[in-house]
Amino acid sequence: MVILKAVLLLLAGFVFLSKGADFFVEGASSVAKMLKVPSLIIGMTIVAMGTSLPELSVSVTASMNGSNALAVSNVIGSNIFNLMVVLGFSAVITPLLVGKDVLKKDYPFSLFCAILLLVLGFIQMELGHIDGIIFLVIFAAFLISQIISAQKARAASLENEQADEEDSGQLSFIFSVIYIIGGACAVKFGGDWVVSGAVSLATVYGLSENLIGLTIVALGTSLPELVTSIAAARRNELDMAIGNVVGSNIFNILMILGVAAAISPITFVMENVMDIGILLVFSAIVWVFCFTKGRINRREGIIMLLLYAVYLVYICNR
């Protein structure tokens, strides 16, 4: 009975997280289009933050409940999933062209965030309140830089602005607000249920919260990124597909772990350090793929998916 309840909570939580994030993204994207913001900026900020709401809800709830192992493993597992599966699957559907700004600025910044997490976490084997504040300050600076970039892009893209105005599928402002509020509420409740179900399963089967967070919870909370990036790739909005993943990984580390650590210090174990190291290795591989021809092709996407499968086997057997 306990197992059935935990599984039902997980499933219901994932549905609420996924659908809630969908509504949030649709509403937020409509508002962004009203403001004439380019798709890359939308992907790096509004869409990335919207699709990362499940991770935020789960990690902050876990931190408040004292399940810090679940909080940090969820973020690391989600970032690896985003990078290898979301980008890999999107590249299999259609080769992903990578812009110069992403290669030279945004992607290196996401690498910097992962390195900073590794360094701060390894020094005292925990993320303390001060570390959380550092993350949040850096995230605020990142958001400001994106706003400045959006303003410059909007001023230089009059033709794109005119095309956006002709988008008949855009939500009205009232419906956009309803979608944002409703989506955020669904994500909040979904996060509570996922944490409760995951902790129950870990207790019943004697599994570590770290393993649960890296696998079941990470995959479940990353569903919005997967769905959004695949949909963007199919619509040939490649900037949004890539921006969603890069922006989500930055948001996951700086905002989510920043808030969680500011609430309650997050204890690190060596497995966390090893997983962040693997994230850095995977990030370097994808960066090389991007630099070769300025894109991630189908063959490289398949390689990324296979590497993730190998990683799953490794963490389940270590």
Side-chain angles (χ1 to χ4, degrees):
M1 189 65 183
V2 174
I3 296 175
L4 178 60
K5 181 180 178 180
V7 171
L8 290 177
L9 277 176
L10 271 177
L11 294 176
F14 286 151
V15 170
F16 268 62
L17 288 174
S18 181
K19 292 301 180 182
D22 284 346
F23 278 106
F24 182 94
V25 168
E26 187 171 353
S29 294
S30 292
V31 172
K33 288 177 181 178
M34 292 175 196
L35 300 177
K36 309 300 184 293
V37 179
S39 61
L40 177 61
I41 304 297
I42 294 176
M44 287 286 296
T45 54
I46 302 296
V47 177
M49 288 186 285
T51 55
S52 287
L53 281 177
E55 286 92 338
L56 177 62
S57 180
V58 168
S59 292
V60 171
T61 301
S63 180
M64 294 177 69
N65 292 342
S67 302
N68 286 332
L70 184 61
V72 68
S73 62
N74 174 39
V75 166
I76 299 171
S78 293
N79 278 20
I80 292 175
F81 184 89
N82 290 345
L83 194 66
M84 306 306 287
V85 177
V86 176
L87 276 186
F89 208 97
S90 298
V92 170
I93 293 174
T94 181
L96 299 176
L97 299 177
V98 184
K100 292 182 179 179
D101 283 345
V102 174
L103 277 176
K104 295 182 177 180
K105 184 177 66 174
D106 301 322
Y107 197 94
F109 183 68
S110 70
L111 272 172
F112 163 76
C113 294
I115 293 172
L116 183 63
L117 174 61
L118 179 62
V119 172
L120 293 181
F122 186 67
I123 290 176
Q124 294 182 329
M125 293 306 289
E126 77 167 13
L127 287 179
H129 296 299
I130 295 178
D131 298 324
I133 293 172
I134 290 173
F135 279 1
L136 292 175
V137 170
I138 295 175
F139 181 70
F142 167 73
L143 272 186
I144 291 172
S145 72
Q146 292 298 313
I147 291 172
I148 293 173
S149 297
Q151 291 175 337
K152 290 180 179 178
R154 182 173 59 178
S157 304
L158 296 177
E159 292 183 4
N160 288 340
E161 289 180 17
Q162 193 172 21
D164 284 340
E165 288 177 357
E166 296 172 358
D167 184 5
S168 60
Q170 184 173 302
L171 294 172
S172 67
F173 180 77
I174 298 297
F175 273 101
S176 296
V177 172
I178 293 174
Y179 272 43
I180 291 171
I181 295 175
C185 291
V187 165
K188 191 274 177 189
F189 286 109
D192 291 343
W193 296 341
V194 167
V195 170
S196 179
V199 172
S200 296
L201 282 179
T203 302
V204 171
Y205 287 106
L207 302 175
S208 69
E209 289 183 1
N210 189 52
L211 178 60
I212 292 290
L214 285 169
T215 54
I216 298 174
V217 178
L219 270 61
T221 56
S222 290
L223 287 177
E225 283 92 341
L226 180 62
V227 172
T228 301
S229 288
I230 289 175
R234 284 178 172 173
R235 293 195 302 265
N236 208 34
E237 294 180 2
L238 305 183
D239 279 347
M240 184 175 288
I242 295 173
N244 175 34
V245 168
V246 176
S248 291
N249 282 10
I250 293 171
F251 183 88
N252 287 349
I253 293 176
L254 296 182
M255 180 63 179
I256 295 177
L257 288 184
V259 171
I263 293 173
S264 175
I266 300 174
T267 302
F268 265 54
V269 295
M270 280 307 299
E271 287 182 350
N272 296 140
V273 175
M274 293 168 62
D275 290 325
I276 298 173
I278 292 172
L279 170 61
L280 286 171
V281 171
F282 283 165
S283 298
I285 292 172
V286 175
W287 203 10
V288 170
F289 286 167
C290 294
F291 259 112
T292 51
K293 295 181 180 179
R295 66 177 184 173
I296 304 174
N297 60 37
R298 289 188 175 89
R299 180 177 61 85
E300 291 164 340
I302 293 172
I303 292 173
M304 291 161 64
L305 293 174
L306 291 175
L307 285 174
Y308 183 77
V310 172
Y311 169 70
L312 275 186
V313 173
Y314 159 71
I315 61 174
C316 290
N317 288 280
R318 67 184 176 187

